[in-house]
Amino acid sequence: MSALVSRLTVSALALALAGCTVGPDYQAPRAKTPSAFNNINQPKNNPSDSIALASQPSPQWWKSFKDPQLDSLIDRAIAGNLSLQQAVLRIAGAREQITQAKGAWLPSVNASAKATRTQLGLRGELESNGIQSRLEDVSPEAASAIDTATDPVNIYQGSFDASWELDLFGGTRRSVEAARAQNQSSIESRNDALVSLQAEVARSYLQLRGAQTVLASIQTQIDVAQQTLELTQSQAQHGLAPQTDVENSRAQLGSLRAQLPQYQAQQRQAMNGLAVLLGKIPGSLDAELMQPKPMPAIPAVVAVGIPSELARRRPDVRKAEADLHAETANIGVSVAQLFPSISLTGQFGMRNSDSGYLTDWSSHFYSFGPQVSLPIFQGGRLVSSVRLARAQQASAALNYRQTVLTALQDVDNALVNYRTDQDRVNGLEDSANALQTSFDLASDGYRKGLTSFITVLDTQRQLAQARQQSAEAKVQTSTDLVMLYKSLGGGWEPYQNINLPHYSVFGPAATVNDQ
């Protein structure tokens, strides 16, 4: 028996090692990209504009703003954001799927024990054939023995069952390959969530500082309007100006004050948004962020890299590639179902009607041998599953190409927005500076009686609008830069070792109070 088992084991290993792997082997796609981004070489319209270079962008791009508070907020968001933690848990689930797929490589062994009370119904079989009556006529002792044999009996059994399906055609290997690719897809989804989180924190922070900057600009204009009102009131009291000048000045002041609530709401909403991004309740960051600070300066140089590196850096492109890998492997899984499956099965145990004899070797039983299963007719389901797998793989290939094109479009559009908004800032700054000079001259002329008050009010209104528009344009330019960095896909590289939460198999389920 031992020699037979050894021969079967060696034969099974030889078959497993000689087995082929059906289905296509995955080949990494080559993204078709231009040599440079379409809008990187546009000339600068102002010496203060930042320039875009084809050098490798920094993984921690937000540090280019040189704002320690922004750096701190992003670090805390990475540690506390709940959506990011969900993405990390999806990686944990994908890793368990790899373990499950690998389990098909190994034999499955089960132990069982049972006790049954059995009535074989032998008496009825003997009586129906007339055997019982003839035994009674020939030998009463034999009839008595038959009576004993036909009584219900207790059967006690303990056994081990083993089964091992040989991966002759690589179906299990393809399943493991697909599970690993799906795990990589989950990792890239986490990376994509990480990049989006960093960009959202930076955008909200810049909008907060921008709202505070606009509020400060409006408050400056309010102070000037208040001084103008006091001047007109003084001149009206001395008969040097009509009352209409006073009322027009008061209306200008009220118009400026009416603009404050809009930006105060933006400030509050930005602080609430940042708190939620950090996994905290709204309002928890008010004490830290309420104190106004100037807008972070835009870096003089922005590194954007080259298009060929984009496919390696953007998580959504990397995820699309991992999905393509998984769908390619799934073709092999479906093709393997068309071929025979061979399993080695065995059973060994002890069985007796007396539990005291279960340990006696004479009560043992066993069975072992190969089992072959060949699909003959499945109603076209197996062939259809192959066609479906191939269609899904083709769709994943197209999705990869579309994702690359979208990535290139995102970067080019972000470059256009960033460059044009810088030009807009420069134009608005020039306009505001000219209006400031015009307002100073008009105010001085009004004091001397050389300029009408209508000219002063109109110039003041235009100056307030220009200052406000300039501040808003600066905010938009900063957020354009954030969107450019997001479109480049960097920021996830330093954070590949985020710890996966550990959950006990037999532990309680997670609750809303779990940390």
Side-chain angles (χ1 to χ4, degrees), residues 119-445:
Q119 170 59 269
L120 298 178
L122 182 59
R123 177 183 294 276
E125 183 68 21
L126 295 175
E127 289 179 350
S128 65
N129 289 280
I131 298 176
Q132 181 71 22
S133 58
R134 289 197 297 271
L135 286 174
E136 291 176 351
D137 294 339
V138 175
S139 172
E141 291 80 4
S144 177
I146 291 297
D147 290 339
T148 302
T150 57
D151 289 340
V153 295
N154 295 324
I155 301 296
Y156 302 95
Q157 177 177 317
S159 64
F160 290 94
D161 302 300
S163 176
W164 183 21
E165 182 175 347
L166 304 181
D167 189 29
L168 294 181
F169 300 99
T172 300
R173 278 167 280 179
R174 291 302 191 194
S175 295
V176 174
E177 182 183 353
R180 285 174 173 162
Q182 289 164 356
N183 176 66
Q184 186 62 38
S185 177
S186 298
I187 292 174
E188 300 306 336
S189 293
R190 186 277 312 272
N191 292 340
D192 197 27
L194 184 58
V195 172
S196 297
L197 173 64
Q198 293 162 348
E200 188 62 22
V201 171
R203 187 186 66 84
S204 297
Y205 180 77
L206 292 171
Q207 287 180 338
L208 168 64
R209 296 309 181 200
Q212 292 174 341
T213 300
V214 174
L215 283 171
S217 176
I218 295 175
Q219 187 59 53
T220 299
Q221 299 305 315
I222 288 175
D223 294 341
V224 174
Q226 181 66 42
Q227 294 172 6
T228 303
L229 174 61
E230 293 171 357
L231 173 62
T232 56
Q233 288 175 334
S234 175
Q235 291 187 338
Q237 290 173 359
H238 293 84
L240 300 176
Q243 186 62 29
T244 54
D245 288 355
V246 176
E247 298 306 322
N248 287 332
S249 181
R250 183 176 286 112
Q252 180 81 347
L253 178 61
S255 176
L256 288 169
R257 285 176 173 168
Q259 298 178 30
L260 291 175
Q262 172 188 354
Y263 296 98
Q264 290 169 344
Q266 288 183 11
Q267 176 181 238
R268 177 66 63 182
Q269 291 167 358
M271 290 190 295
N272 290 341
L274 284 169
V276 173
L277 288 172
L278 269 63
K280 300 180 180 296
I281 60 173
S284 58
L285 298 179
D286 288 2
E288 176 184 351
L289 300 175
M290 184 64 75
Q291 181 65 32
K293 289 186 178 181
M295 282 282 297
I298 290 177
V301 175
V302 177
V304 298
I306 56 178
S308 60
E309 298 172 344
L310 197 62
R312 295 291 88 208
R313 194 168 54 244
R314 275 198 43 146
D316 58 340
V317 178
R318 293 166 60 90
K319 180 183 184 301
E321 182 179 349
D323 291 339
L324 174 59
H325 189 174
E327 296 298 344
T328 303
N330 283 332
I331 295 177
V333 175
S334 61
V335 171
Q337 296 175 353
L338 299 174
F339 293 88
S341 63
I342 299 178
S343 301
L344 299 180
T345 61
Q347 184 180 38
F348 175 84
M350 311 291 281
R351 183 190 299 124
N352 202 291
S353 60
D354 187 341
S355 60
Y357 275 84
L358 283 179
T359 58
D360 193 293
W361 181 251
S362 61
S363 299
H364 79 279
F365 67 94
Y366 67 86
S367 64
F368 64 90
Q371 176 180 330
V372 180
S373 175
L374 176 65
I376 296 177
F377 179 74
Q378 297 291 333
R381 289 178 297 174
L382 298 182
V383 174
S384 178
S385 68
V386 176
R387 292 172 179 167
L388 175 61
R390 292 189 178 277
Q392 290 173 337
Q393 190 263 356
S395 176
L398 293 176
N399 180 65
Y400 175 81
R401 292 173 57 188
Q402 182 62 49
T403 305
V404 172
L405 290 177
T406 302
L408 294 171
Q409 180 187 27
D410 288 346
V411 176
D412 277 327
N413 287 347
L415 282 169
V416 170
N417 292 337
Y418 182 55
R419 191 181 305 280
T420 54
D421 279 335
Q422 284 188 96
D423 294 341
R424 182 167 178 263
V425 168
N426 295 330
L428 289 171
E429 279 290 297
D430 292 341
S431 175
N433 292 335
L435 286 169
Q436 182 67 58
T437 302
S438 178
F439 174 71
D440 293 340
L441 292 173
S443 299
D444 185 63

Side-chain angles (χ1 to χ4, degrees), residues 50-103:
S50 37
I51 58 175
L53 297 179
S55 57
Q56 187 74 10
S58 170
Q60 295 179 309
W61 51 263
W62 56 91
K63 292 186 180 295
S64 64
F65 288 103
K66 300 186 184 304
D67 191 315
Q69 193 164 38
L70 174 59
D71 299 344
S72 173
L73 288 170
I74 288 181
D75 288 340
R76 283 180 283 167
I78 293 172
N81 184 262
L82 301 182
S83 296
L84 183 60
Q85 292 179 18
Q86 294 178 43
V88 172
L89 282 175
R90 284 191 284 271
I91 298 176
R95 289 184 180 178
E96 295 306 320
Q97 290 177 348
I98 296 177
T99 302
Q100 292 178 5
K102 287 182 177 179

